[in-house]
C-alpha cells in the first residue's frame, strides 16, 4: 500500500539544498526480501528490529549483513507499523497500517502490542487509535502515535488509557521525542509536507520547522544528538538533516521509498552513532554521512 503511494508520486527534480559535511554514499547492511519496511529501532545490544507492512512480521537482524529473522507477527497478519521501547525494555509494535487507514480517523481500528524480544511472546495491549505509523515513548511511559492519513495524534498512558485525539496535525507521520520529552517531532507527509514539533504539555502549540515541495513526502524521522531532525524524503530519495528552521542539507540521495530512520545503540552490531534507513524496498542502509557519536536510537530516558 505505502509503496504504491510513494511510487505514484513520481520522480521529482533534484534538490537545491547543499550536501551536509561528510555526506557519503549509503551502504547496504540488510535485506528483508519481499518486505515493505515501516518500523525501525535498535536495542541496547545493537540488534536491529523492523516491521513489514505486507506480512505483519517483526524481524530482527543481529548485526550488519546478518539475515533477517522473523520473531513475531501482529494479529491479522498484515499492517505492522511503528516500533518503540517502553521504560522497562518491552518493544511496542503498532499495527493496523492496512487499507483501513485510507478513511483517516473514522475507524480508530489501530492497536499496539507488547513484544518480549527475548521470549518472542507477543501480547496485544491497547486499541482505539486511528493509526500507529509513528510512535515514541516518554520517560513517564506515555506513548505517542501518529496517523499520516488522518489528523489525530494519539496518546496512551502507562496504564493503557487511550486518548486517540490528544493532538491534531494533518498527515503527521513518524514520531520522536526530544531528549527532555518536551517536544514531539513529526513529519508532515501528504498535507503541507514538512516537519513540525508539538509541545507535549500543550499539543495546541505546534511549530513548523520546515516546509518542502509536495513530491518530497517526508517520512519516519529521527533526531541527532543535538535534537536536529534527520528525515527521509520518501519520493525523492534523499536523507536530510534540518540545520535550522527552514534550512536543511542532504546526507544521502538515491534512496527512493525510504520510510524510516533510526540511529543505532550500544557498542556493537548496529551501534550508537551510526544512522540507519529502512524502506518499502525491503532494504536497510547505513547512512555514513549521518554519523554522530552522541546519537542513539530512541528509548525512554535516553
Amino acid at each position: 500500500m505505502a509503496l504504491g503511494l510513494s511510487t505514484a508520486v513520481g520522480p521529482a527534480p533534484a534538490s537545491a539544498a547543499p550536501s551536509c559535511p561528510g555526506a557519503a554514499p549509503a551502504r547496504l547492511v540488510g535485506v528483508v526480501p519481499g518486505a515493505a519496511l515501516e518500523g525501525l529501532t535498535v536495542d541496547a545490544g545493537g540488534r536491529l528490529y523492523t516491521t513489514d507492512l505486507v506480512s505483519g512480521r517483526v524481524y530482527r537482524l543481529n548485526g550488519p549483513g546478518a539475515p533477517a529473522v522473523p520473531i513475531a507477527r501482529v494479529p491479522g497478519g498484515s499492517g505492522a507499523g511503528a516500533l518503540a521501547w517502553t521504560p522497562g525494555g518491552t518493544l511496542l509494535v503498532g499495527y493496523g497500517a492496512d487499507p483501513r487507514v485510507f478513511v483517516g480517523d473514522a475507524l480508530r481500528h489501530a492497536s499496539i502490542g507488547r513484544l518480549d524480544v527475548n521470549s518472542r511472546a507477543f501480547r496485544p495491549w491497547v486499541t482505539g487509535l486511528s493509526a500507529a505509523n509513528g510512535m515514541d515513548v516518554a520517560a513517564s511511559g506515555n506513548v505517542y502515535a501518529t496517523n499520516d492519513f488522518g489528523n489525530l495524534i494519539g496518546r496512551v498512558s502507562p496504564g493503557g488509557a487511550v486518548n486517540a485525539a490528544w493532538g491534531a496535525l494533518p498527515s503527521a507521520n513518524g514520531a520522536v521525542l526530544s531528549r527532555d520529552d518536551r517536544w514531539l517531532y513529526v513529519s508532515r507527509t501528504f498535507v503541507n509536507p514538512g516537519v513540525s514539533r508539538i509541545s507535549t504539555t500543550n499539543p495546541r502549540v505546534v511549530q513548523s520547522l520546515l516546509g518542502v515541495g509536495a513530491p518530497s513526502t517526508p517520512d519516519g524521522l529521527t533526531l541527532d544528538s543535538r535534537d536536529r531532525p534527520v528525515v527521509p524524503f520518501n519520493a525523492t530519495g534523499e536523507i536530510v538533516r534540518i540545520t535550522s528552521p527552514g534550512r536543511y542539507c542532504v546526507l544521502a540521495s538515491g534512496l527512493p521509498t525510504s520510510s524510516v530512520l533510526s540511529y543505532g545503540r550500544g557498542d556493537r552490531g548496529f551501534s550508537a552513532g551510526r544512522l540507519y534507513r529502512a524502506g518499502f524496498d525491503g532494504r536497510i542502509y547505513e547512512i555514513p554521512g549521518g554519523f554522530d557519536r552522541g546519537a542513539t536510537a530512541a528509548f525512554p530516558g535516553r
Side-chain angles (χ1 to χ4, degrees):
M1 176 191 68
L3 177 60
L5 284 170
S6 63
T7 54
V9 173
S15 170
S19 294
C20 303
R27 293 198 292 255
L28 183 67
V29 294
V31 179
V32 186
L37 303 180
E38 174 73 0
L40 184 67
T41 192
V42 180
D43 68 17
R47 300 180 298 181
L48 182 145
Y49 300 83
T50 189
T51 56
D52 177 19
L53 284 168
V54 178
S55 69
R57 290 188 174 93
V58 181
Y59 289 89
R60 180 167 64 203
L61 288 77
N62 288 335
V69 177
I71 63 169
R73 193 177 189 188
V74 301
S78 65
L83 296 171
W85 299 100
T86 69
T90 297
L91 185 60
L92 299 182
V93 184
Y95 57 101
D98 55 42
R100 289 175 290 180
V101 301
F102 287 116
V103 300
D105 302 308
L107 297 180
R108 303 191 187 182
H109 65 284
S111 304
I112 300 173
R114 299 169 67 92
L115 174 60
D116 183 322
V117 298
N118 296 313
S119 69
R120 304 188 184 185
F122 182 92
R123 179 168 58 90
W125 180 41
V126 298
T127 193
L129 296 160
S130 62
N133 297 95
M135 186 164 57
D136 202 5
V137 185
S140 65
N142 285 326
V143 181
Y144 299 86
T146 61
N147 181 5
D148 58 333
F149 286 97
N151 295 322
L152 297 182
I153 299 170
R155 187 175 73 178
V156 183
S157 74
V162 175
N163 181 355
W166 169 81
L169 183 68
S171 198
N173 195 3
V176 60
L177 290 157
S178 59
R179 292 195 174 214
D180 59 8
D181 290 340
R182 292 179 57 199
W183 296 97
L184 179 70
Y185 289 76
V186 299
S187 295
R188 307 186 306 267
T189 299
F190 301 116
V191 179
N192 185 26
V195 174
S196 293
R197 68 177 191 174
I198 303 160
S199 169
T200 55
T201 57
N202 181 358
R204 289 177 294 182
V205 177
V206 180
Q207 298 176 351
S208 178
L209 303 176
L210 182 69
V212 293
S216 297
T217 55
D219 216 316
L221 76 174
T222 191
L223 298 176
D224 69 11
S225 64
R226 296 165 56 184
D227 276 354
R228 295 180 300 182
V230 185
V231 190
F233 287 174
N234 188 308
T236 59
E238 296 169 315
I239 310 297
V240 311
R241 177 194 291 130
I242 297 179
T243 53
S244 62
R247 296 181 180 273
Y248 67 92
C249 63
V250 179
L251 292 165
S253 58
L255 296 170
T257 73
S258 296
S259 59
V260 61
L261 299 173
S262 176
Y263 276 96
R265 195 171 164 198
D267 58 4
R268 60 189 182 275
F270 295 92
S271 56
R274 299 181 183 275
L275 178 65
Y276 300 99
R277 165 269 191 203
F280 299 138
D281 55 7
R283 294 173 176 260
I284 301 163
Y285 287 88
E286 180 183 349
I287 310 299
F291 181 79
D292 177 349
R293 192 174 304 278
T296 187
F299 65 94
R302 60 195 179 280

